[in-house]
Amino acid sequence: MLKNGNVMNQIIQYIVTDITEVFQYIPIGIISGILFFLFTLIVKGILKLLKYDNNISVSRCTAMSLLVTYLVIFLQIVFLSREPGTRTGVDLHLFETWGTNSQAHAYVLENILLFIPFGFWVPVVFSKYRNGIGTFCLGMLLSIGCEYIQFITQRGHCQLDDVVMNTLGTVLGYMGYWGICFILRLISSS
């Protein structure tokens, strides 16, 4: 029992360490989100001056800005934090990356965590992705695209497990979105 507890503690330590490294990308993500928010407000104002009927609410601008913030941080993590040519290889064996050590386990869990915000924010921002299938497919396509770009630029190993775990993260994020919507409906009907 103690061994399993030690392994879990090691996995958590690796994840916390890796997440702490991501904090350096948060300022550029926040600045990008704020600039996008200001841009959308300017566009909204111009459209209003032109008497063009638009449905861009401040809450939608905020949600879009939060998605942009996430995507900028995501790009930093997945591509820009790595030197081109430093990672090569393709692994199409399912569950191969789970490995035998705590670091490998942490990487698998981090791939899930990385896509949870995507699965949450996409249906918030884009109404056509409010069904689970659309969000699922978009998350899977984004993950496949990332793996392909990582393979071409050699900024990451191209792994089937990453696609599966990223897609699982998208599903978990969507479930969080759905759960919050469900709770809000219960509150509003009371």
Side-chain angles (χ1 to χ4, degrees):
M1 182 69 178
L2 183 61
K3 184 179 180 195
N4 288 338
N6 286 338
V7 169
M8 185 56 82
N9 285 337
Q10 287 178 331
I11 293 169
I12 291 170
Q13 286 175 345
Y14 282 123
I15 291 172
V16 168
T17 300
D18 290 342
I19 288 174
T20 303
E21 289 178 18
V22 169
F23 287 163
Q24 66 184 319
Y25 309 128
I26 291 175
I28 190 69
I30 290 172
I31 290 168
S32 300
I34 289 169
L35 291 174
F36 184 84
F37 180 77
L38 294 173
F39 175 76
T40 56
L41 288 182
I42 291 168
V43 168
K44 180 177 173 58
I46 291 170
L47 292 175
K48 188 174 182 177
L49 284 173
L50 296 173
K51 300 192 185 314
Y52 181 78
D53 187 26
N54 68 65
N55 63 349
I56 304 173
S57 67
V58 174
S59 62
R60 181 140 195 261
C61 290
T62 302
M64 290 175 7
S65 298
L66 289 168
L67 179 60
V68 166
T69 299
Y70 161 74
L71 290 173
V72 168
I73 294 169
F74 175 85
L75 287 173
Q76 287 285 331
I77 295 168
V78 176
F79 300 115
L80 302 177
S81 66
R82 304 169 178 184
E83 290 292 321
T86 58
R87 293 169 174 88
T88 60
V90 176
D91 184 0
L92 300 178
H93 295 96
L94 195 56
F95 304 120
E96 186 77 19
T97 59
W98 183 250
T100 58
N101 62 46
S102 299
Q103 181 70 65
H105 299 342
Y107 287 148
V108 170
L109 296 173
E110 289 168 11
N111 274 312
I112 295 169
L113 293 172
L114 181 64
F115 271 69
I116 289 174
F118 182 82
F120 180 83
W121 285 113
V122 165
V124 169
V125 172
F126 303 107
S127 59
K128 70 179 182 178
Y129 291 106
R130 291 194 177 140
N131 66 43
I133 301 297
T135 302
F136 170 85
C137 290
L138 196 59
M140 186 170 54
L141 287 173
L142 176 63
S143 182
I144 291 169
C146 287
E147 292 301 310
Y148 179 72
I149 293 170
Q150 286 180 340
F151 172 72
I152 297 298
T153 63
Q154 296 183 344
R155 290 181 187 255
H157 302 287
C158 182
Q159 297 171 310
L160 177 61
D161 283 356
D162 288 359
V163 174
V164 172
M165 296 307 142
N166 295 159
T167 305
L168 176 59
T170 301
V171 170
L172 292 174
Y174 177 80
M175 290 171 62
Y177 160 79
W178 186 87
I180 288 173
C181 288
F182 180 77
I183 290 167
L184 291 174
R185 278 190 292 250
L186 285 176
I187 291 170
S188 68
S189 67
S190 303

